């Protein structure tokens, strides 16, 4: 059989170019991996309990500085928030936080800035932050999450967008003269958490890991203590003066430092009491909180739940006799 070497060479060049183009994908992104969403066309999805516009929903889109804004909504009992960057080529939205809010926010960005939403960043794969992402995706936006977030979205049948793009440790978005950097430091609040930096604006999105003089939520839920502390240690080294934490009010670096002290102290107290042989019924009565922490938002509701979450973490990770 005679081989046409010229034809073969052309085929190899085309094949190589196709691989290169697939690897590059969107030239606005560095570090992106692209998902074939058609693989999930038949996936099961749970009902979206916040799928109708809420006429009485409290919501806002307020300027932080320059082209950087902060959106808020009160869809659930806890206010949700995320940063929004407006560029001449489109907007970047963090955590739509449920469908009712996303419908309004998508419309509000178009109306006020006359640009489409280009990218939606999900800080992690929890419904209360990822909800509504499908509204933007249906309108042409690309949805991004750290790669560990894809499986729970599919496996938990979450009524949110199947991500278009994932990444491993870092992803950079260059859009309309602006730069946004996504960082996965370690498993912390979920194993898919992204910390997002806006270097030009000295701003950070530190959702659910950061606290602004409020107690961490509940019994910590989807919790990895070591990675949480690693993430806080990384965060306080950043050159930022505005930190959105996904709920309530923004934080300062000093707030994050105080939160780290609280977490380390709670961990050590629980560990010491467990090693002394105290059961849960004894232990939770003997944890001491500082006067400052007692003034934090949600202290009365969350303090015992925080002890419980730390107790579960420690008892599951001890290496004693058993």
């Amino acid at each position: 059989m005679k081989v046409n070497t010229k034809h073969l060479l052309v085929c190899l060049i085309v094949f190589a170019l196709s691989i290169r183009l697939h690897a590059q994908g969107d030239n606005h992104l560095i570090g992106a991996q692209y998902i074939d969403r058609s693989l999930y066309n038949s996936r099961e999805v749970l009902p979206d309990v916040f799928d109708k516009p809420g006429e009485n929903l409290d919501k806002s889109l307020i300027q932080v500085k320059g082209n950087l804004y902060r959106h808020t909504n009160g869809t659930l009992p806890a206010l949700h928030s995320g940063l929004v960057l407006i560029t001449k080529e489109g907007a970047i939205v963090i955590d739509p936080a449920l469908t009712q809010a996303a419908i309004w926010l998508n419309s509000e960005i178009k109306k006020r800035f006359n640009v489409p939403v280009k990218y939606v960043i999900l800080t992690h794969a929890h419904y209360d932050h990822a909800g509504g992402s499908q509204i933007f995706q249906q309108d042409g936006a690309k949805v991004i999450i750290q790669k560990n977030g894809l499986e729970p979205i599919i496996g938990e049948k979450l009524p949110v967008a199947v991500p278009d793009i994932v990444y491993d440790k870092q992803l950079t978005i260059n859009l309309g003269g602006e730069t946004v950097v996504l960082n996965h430091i370690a498993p912390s609040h979920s194993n898919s958490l992204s910390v997002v930096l806006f270097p030009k604006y000295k701003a950070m999105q530190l959702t659910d890991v950061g606290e602004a003089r409020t107690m961490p939520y509940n019994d910590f839920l989807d919790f990895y203590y070591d990675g949480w502390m690693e993430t806080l240690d990384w965060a306080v080294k950043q050159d930022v003066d505005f930190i959105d934490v996904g709920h309530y009010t923004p934080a300062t670096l000093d707030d994050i430092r105080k939160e780290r002290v609280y977490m380390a102290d709670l961990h050590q107290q629980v560990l010491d009491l467990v090693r002394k042989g105290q059961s849960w019924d004894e232990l939770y009565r003997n944890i001491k909180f500082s006067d400052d922490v007692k003034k934090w938002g949600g202290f009365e509701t969350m303090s015992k739940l925080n002890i419980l979450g730390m107790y579960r973490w420690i008892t599951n990770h001890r290496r004693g006799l058993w």
Side-chain angles (χ1 to χ4, degrees), residues 148-201:
N148 295 330
L150 176 62
E151 192 284 328
I153 285 176
I154 304 303
E156 301 293 336
K157 307 176 185 177
L158 298 184
V160 306
V162 174
D164 300 276
I165 296 162
V166 300
Y167 76 100
D168 184 11
K169 296 299 291 183
Q170 187 176 84
L171 185 146
T172 300
I173 305 174
N174 295 304
L175 184 69
E178 303 278 7
T179 298
V180 180
V181 184
L182 288 67
N183 302 274
H184 176 64
I185 309 305
S188 51
H189 175 76
S190 88
N191 66 346
S192 62
L193 191 102
S194 292
V195 183
V196 187
L197 289 179
F198 299 81
K200 178 178 176 180
Y201 300 99

Side-chain angles (χ1 to χ4, degrees), residues 16-310:
L17 285 173
S18 69
I19 292 176
R20 184 181 178 188
L21 288 170
H22 178 72
Q24 288 180 334
D26 191 327
N27 59 12
H28 294 135
L29 307 180
I30 301 170
Q33 302 169 27
Y34 296 85
I35 300 300
D36 181 358
R37 291 195 294 115
S38 68
L39 297 174
Y40 308 104
N41 284 345
S42 60
R43 77 179 182 112
E44 289 186 65
V45 178
L46 294 172
D48 185 355
V49 296
F50 294 100
D51 65 347
K52 298 292 189 298
E55 295 180 3
N56 299 318
L57 177 67
D58 291 332
K59 47 198 178 290
S60 69
L61 181 60
I62 299 173
Q63 186 179 36
V64 174
K65 57 180 90 170
N67 294 325
L68 188 65
Y69 292 74
R70 178 177 184 251
H71 74 85
T72 69
N73 75 82
T75 308
L76 288 173
L79 179 140
H80 285 68
S81 63
L83 295 175
V84 176
L85 185 64
I86 306 297
T87 85
K88 61 187 178 182
E89 293 184 39
I92 300 171
V93 171
I94 296 182
D95 286 353
L98 305 175
T99 301
Q100 293 178 4
I103 292 169
W104 173 82
L105 184 58
N106 192 37
S107 174
E108 185 72 3
I109 290 171
K110 289 180 181 178
K111 181 172 68 176
R112 284 175 58 176
F113 306 106
N114 195 32
V115 295
V117 174
K118 183 80 173 180
Y119 298 108
V120 172
I121 298 168
L122 305 182
T123 57
H124 58 298
H126 289 172
Y127 170 62
D128 66 319
H129 292 277
S133 51
Q134 73 280 5
I135 298 298
F136 294 96
Q137 189 179 66
Q138 290 161 8
D139 206 27
K142 300 297 184 184
V143 176
I144 303 172
I145 197 168
Q146 199 276 339
K147 67 178 185 178
N148 295 330
L150 176 62
E151 192 284 328
I153 285 176
I154 304 303
E156 301 293 336
K157 307 176 185 177
L158 298 184
V160 306
V162 174
D164 300 276
I165 296 162
V166 300
Y167 76 100
D168 184 11
K169 296 299 291 183
Q170 187 176 84
L171 185 146
T172 300
I173 305 174
N174 295 304
L175 184 69
E178 303 278 7
T179 298
V180 180
V181 184
L182 288 67
N183 302 274
H184 176 64
I185 309 305
S188 51
H189 175 76
S190 88
N191 66 346
S192 62
L193 191 102
S194 292
V195 183
V196 187
L197 289 179
F198 299 81
K200 178 178 176 180
Y201 300 99
K202 293 189 175 184
M204 178 193 300
Q205 185 78 48
L206 188 60
T207 296
D208 282 350
V209 173
E211 299 291 343
R213 301 183 67 79
T214 56
M215 299 294 285
Y217 181 65
N218 214 295
D219 58 350
F220 293 111
L221 305 168
D222 204 356
F223 174 55
Y224 302 77
Y225 173 76
D226 295 341
W228 189 303
M229 300 300 278
E230 184 179 344
T231 301
L232 293 180
D233 287 340
W234 181 91
V236 297
K237 295 176 184 177
Q238 304 311 304
D239 182 19
V240 296
D241 55 29
F242 185 92
I243 305 171
D244 188 73
V245 296
H247 296 278
Y248 305 117
T249 59
T252 65
L253 285 173
D254 190 53
D255 291 331
I256 304 305
R257 293 187 189 99
K258 288 177 178 177
E259 178 199 352
R260 193 205 183 283
V261 171
Y262 164 70
M263 294 288 290
D265 179 64
L266 179 61
H267 180 271
Q268 193 63 53
Q269 287 193 64
V270 174
L271 179 60
D272 289 344
L273 292 174
V274 168
R275 284 176 172 171
K276 288 179 180 178
Q278 289 197 9
S279 67
W280 165 251
D281 286 344
E282 297 173 285
L283 180 144
Y284 82 87
R285 304 168 193 271
N286 292 314
I287 298 297
K288 309 299 182 186
F289 296 95
S290 71
D291 290 339
D292 186 48
V293 169
K294 289 177 182 178
K295 298 174 186 175
W296 287 7
F299 175 79
E300 293 299 327
T301 305
M302 299 297 174
S303 53
K304 287 186 178 64
L305 290 168
N306 277 196
I307 299 170
L308 177 60
M310 194 64 78

